[in-house]
Amino acid sequence: MTVQLTKQESFSQDISIDMLQKYDVSGPRYTSYPTADRFVEAFTEADYIQALEQRRDRNAGSPLSIYVHIPFCDSLCFYCACNKIVTKHHERSREYLEYLRHEVDLHTAHLGKGQTISQLHLGGGTPTFFSDDELTELMDMLKRSFNFVSGGEYSIEVDPRTVDEKRLAHLAKLGFNRLSFGVQDFDEDVQKAVHRVQPHEQVFELVAQARALKFDSINVDLIYGLPKQTPASFNRTLQLIGELKPDRIALYAYAHLPERFKPQRRIHAEDLPAAGEKVSMLSNAIAHFLSVDYVYVGMDHFALPNDPLAVAKRQGRLHRNFQGYSTQPDCDLIALGVSAIGRVGGTYSQNAKTLEDYYDSLRQGKMPIVRGIALSKDDMVRRAVIMALMCQGELLFESIELAYLIDFKQYFANELNSLNALQDEGMLEIDEQGIHISSRGWFFVRAIAMKFDRYLLTDQNRARFSKII
Ligand code: SF4
C-alpha cells in the first residue's frame, strides 16, 4: 500500500484536531535507532576504529556520507537546542578548521584515502559562520581526502542573515547543490521574541538568487509553537511560504525545555501559545501545504511533487538518517566536528560535546569519540522494522524474517498486539503479509514506530523527547 495524501480535502476528512491532540505524546524522531540517549561511554575510540577498519576490509566501494558540524553562531536564537558556540570572534574558525583537518587525517589513516562520497551535509551552529575562504579550504581538504561522486547530495544549512548573492554563488562553485534556509517564522514580533530578526523580503530575495544559481533543491525550516505566535500570525507565514514555494519544507514543533536548554530561559513562558493553539497551527500548516500542492513526505517534511524526496516517497525509496529523510540509500556516515554523531556498520558514535575536549583528543592524536553503541541483533531487527515503517509506510514480515532469521509474528507478538488500538483508529492494517500504514496513520507514523522501540517499552522518561507533532 502506498501512502499518499496530496490534497487538503483528504487531509481534513482523515485527520481531526482531536486526533492531533490525542496523539500529541512524547516520542523520538528516529533519525537513529537506538536513539542517541541510549549511547554509552563504554563505547570508545577503539570500538570506532574497529568499525572503520571493518568497513575498509568489507565494504570497499560502497559510498559514504559525511556530516561536518560547525558550531559557531554570530548571535543566539532563544529557542535553540543545538550544540553551538555564540561568538563574534570569527578567527576561531581557523583553529577549528585545523582540528577538522586532524580528524579527517585520522579517518583516512583507518579507511584509506579516496573513499567514495555521495552525500555531504554541513550543519551547525551556522556553517556560513565560516568565511568563503574557510569554506573553500574545508571543501578542498575533503576533496583531497575523499572522492565526491557527481550527482550526489551536497547540502549546507544557511542562516539568511549571513549570506548574500555573492556568497550563494560561492557555495554553488564549491559544489553544494542543496540549501537549507532557517526561517522559523516570518512574523516580526515572533522574530523579536526569539532574537532572530530576518525580514521575509530578505529570504525571498535569497531564494530567488539561489534559484537563478540553479541549486537543485531549496529547503526552508519552520517552527510552530514559538513565543508570540498565534494561529492567525502563523497563517500569514504559511501564506508567504506558499508564495515562496521552496522545494522542501521542514516543519518542527518547538519544545520548551528551559531546564535543559539554557537559551530557552530567555523565552517568557506566558508568551508561548497554548497547546490547543499549537495543534491548530500544525493542522493549518498541513492543510495549507497540501492545498498548495506539497506532498507530505513523512514526519515533519513536505516536498513539491517533483522534488526527488517526493519522487522517492512515491517509489518507496525513502531513507532516514540524522538529517531526516533522504533519497540516498543507507550508507555509513562519517561525522566530523564537535558533538557530531556518526554511523559506521553496526555502530553509532558521538564526538566530544565541548570544544575543549574535542581539541584535547585530537591534540593527542586520538579520535574524539566519547560515547556510542554497538548494535545488538535485536537492535538491528528493530532498526530495520522502524525504518521500514517510517520510510515505506509498510512492513512486509517476510523481508525481516529472511534478513534476520526470525519468525516475525512470534518475535513481535506483544508489539503486534499493541497495534490493535491504532488499527481500530484506522491508522494501519495488519494482514498475513505485514503492516500497512494508512494515509491517516502516516501523520502519526512516529506513534506507530514507537511500538517497536524496546528501550521505550520500559522507559519512564518519555518526557525527555520533543512532542510527537
Ligand atoms: S538556532 Fe541555529 S543560528 Fe540560532 S543559535 Fe541555534 S544553531 Fe545558532
Side-chain angles (χ1 to χ4, degrees):
M1 180 189 290
T2 319
V3 178
Q4 234 177 328
L5 192 68
T6 52
K7 289 289 169 203
Q8 181 168 3
E9 303 81 69
S10 336
F11 168 72
S12 44
Q13 278 164 19
D14 242 19
I15 315 283
S16 63
I17 288 208
D18 286 350
M19 289 191 86
L20 289 173
Q21 213 132 29
K22 183 169 172 188
Y23 289 97
D24 184 16
V25 294
S26 303
R29 300 180 62 243
Y30 292 120
T31 50
S32 70
Y33 180 83
T35 47
D37 61 317
R38 306 294 168 182
F39 296 179
V40 291
E41 285 173 13
F43 185 97
T44 62
E45 187 209 8
D47 299 308
Y48 181 61
I49 289 175
Q50 188 183 18
L52 288 177
E53 291 181 347
Q54 278 172 357
R55 179 192 152 87
R56 182 195 58 201
D57 298 342
R58 266 204 327 254
N59 292 347
S62 70
L64 271 173
S65 180
I66 294 183
Y67 172 71
V68 185
H69 190 81
I70 298 172
F72 306 109
C73 297
D74 271 305
S75 79
L76 178 69
C77 311
F78 295 163
Y79 56 82
C80 185
C82 304
N83 188 302
K84 81 279 166 200
I85 295 158
V86 179
T87 177
K88 295 281 178 209
H89 294 279
H90 278 251
E91 67 278 8
R92 293 182 74 178
S93 314
R94 177 133 304 282
E95 184 184 28
Y96 191 70
L97 199 48
E98 278 313 305
Y99 282 97
L100 282 175
R101 193 187 309 277
H102 289 312
E103 202 183 357
V104 167
D105 289 347
L106 285 175
H107 277 89
T108 48
H110 295 290
L111 279 172
K113 260 195 168 184
Q115 296 283 314
T116 308
I117 305 296
S118 62
Q119 203 172 26
L120 167 74
H121 183 76
L122 261 58
T126 308
T128 45
F129 184 94
F130 271 20
S131 67
D132 284 353
D133 285 349
E134 286 158 353
L135 284 168
T136 303
E137 258 185 68
L138 172 65
M139 291 304 286
D140 284 351
M141 178 229 298
L142 292 173
K143 285 173 190 167
R144 272 196 306 274
S145 304
F146 300 100
N147 172 27
F148 285 75
V149 296
S150 65
E153 284 184 3
Y154 305 125
S155 60
I156 178 166
E157 290 168 16
V158 174
D159 180 334
R161 300 167 297 174
T162 61
V163 291
D164 55 17
E165 187 174 14
K166 197 168 145 269
R167 294 211 76 191
L168 291 181
H170 188 72
L171 294 176
K173 204 173 117 210
L174 290 180
F176 290 101
N177 51 21
R178 282 154 207 280
L179 299 179
S180 180
F181 288 104
V183 167
Q184 328 314 356
D185 192 323
F186 281 133
D187 185 90
E188 208 185 319
D189 289 340
V190 176
Q191 291 189 355
K192 281 183 189 151
V194 298
H195 197 239
R196 187 182 175 118
V197 176
Q198 43 185 43
H200 78 264
E201 291 86 354
Q202 185 187 13
V203 175
F204 271 65
E205 207 178 310
L206 288 171
V207 169
Q209 289 160 352
R211 286 203 176 108
L213 288 162
K214 304 260 181 288
F215 281 94
D216 291 346
S217 183
I218 296 166
N219 176 78
V220 158
D221 283 349
L222 297 178
I223 304 182
Y224 67 95
L226 291 173
K228 301 279 185 194
Q229 246 177 3
T230 65
S233 76
F234 199 54
N235 278 348
R236 288 192 290 277
T237 291
L238 298 176
Q239 287 292 336
L240 285 169
I241 293 292
E243 289 165 29
L244 185 68
K245 276 268 159 109
D247 303 280
R248 298 177 185 178
I249 302 167
L251 173 69
Y252 300 111
Y254 171 64
H256 191 57
L257 299 168
E259 62 292 344
R260 271 182 71 196
F261 305 112
K262 223 170 150 191
Q264 298 185 354
R265 294 178 200 166
R266 313 274 292 266
I267 287 177
H268 306 296
E270 63 275 17
D271 287 343
L272 292 170
E277 289 182 302
K278 235 176 126 177
V279 172
S280 294
M281 285 186 234
L282 172 64
S283 165
N284 293 346
I286 296 172
H288 182 68
F289 295 146
L290 299 182
S291 76
V292 290
D293 283 339
Y294 282 89
V295 172
Y296 181 62
V297 175
M299 230 183 69
D300 314 325
H301 293 274
F302 299 81
L304 289 175
N306 291 331
D307 184 88
L309 211 53
V311 175
K313 166 85 182 64
R314 279 197 293 281
Q315 298 175 346
R317 290 187 294 103
L318 270 186
H319 297 276
R320 200 157 168 80
N321 60 27
F322 288 107
Q323 277 76 56
Y325 283 107
S326 160
T327 58
Q328 296 288 305
D330 278 349
C331 54
D332 285 343
L333 169 71
I334 300 297
L336 304 169
V338 64
S339 77
I341 299 179
R343 165 190 165 166
V344 179
T347 70
Y348 292 112
S349 52
Q350 183 166 29
N351 279 351
K353 284 188 176 177
T354 67
L355 219 45
E356 205 184 353
D357 292 345
Y358 173 74
Y359 288 170
D360 199 43
S361 291
L362 288 165
R363 259 197 304 271
Q364 295 174 45
K366 286 166 44 182
M367 293 275 193
I369 301 292
V370 287
R371 60 185 196 135
I373 190 167
L375 274 68
S376 65
K377 186 186 167 197
D378 179 72
D379 292 332
M380 298 271 201
V381 179
R382 288 173 190 271
R383 174 165 78 179
V385 170
I386 287 172
M387 294 306 161
L389 291 170
M390 301 215 43
C391 296
Q392 276 81 55
E394 175 173 78
L395 178 115
L396 298 176
F397 298 147
E398 199 184 15
S399 64
I400 299 292
E401 288 176 337
L402 289 175
Y404 297 97
L405 305 177
I406 59 163
D407 178 323
F408 193 96
K409 288 184 191 160
Q410 213 177 347
Y411 195 92
F412 288 114
N414 292 337
E415 288 80 352
L416 286 171
N417 266 336
S418 72
L419 289 177
N420 287 337
L422 292 168
Q423 184 163 224
D424 294 344
E425 293 259 29
M427 304 266 194
L428 52 90
E429 214 183 290
I430 303 173
D431 62 17
E432 276 309 301
Q433 274 72 48
I435 301 165
H436 315 276
I437 299 178
S438 68
S439 54
R440 171 185 290 179
W442 192 235
F443 284 90
F444 305 102
V445 66
R446 179 154 59 168
I448 299 168
M450 281 163 68
K451 301 286 185 196
F452 290 90
D453 184 333
R454 184 173 64 86
Y455 298 92
L456 277 187
L457 295 177
T458 50
D459 190 51
Q460 301 301 312
N461 292 324
R462 290 180 183 202
R464 281 173 307 155
F465 293 103
S466 61
K467 287 286 190 182
I468 193 164
I469 50 178

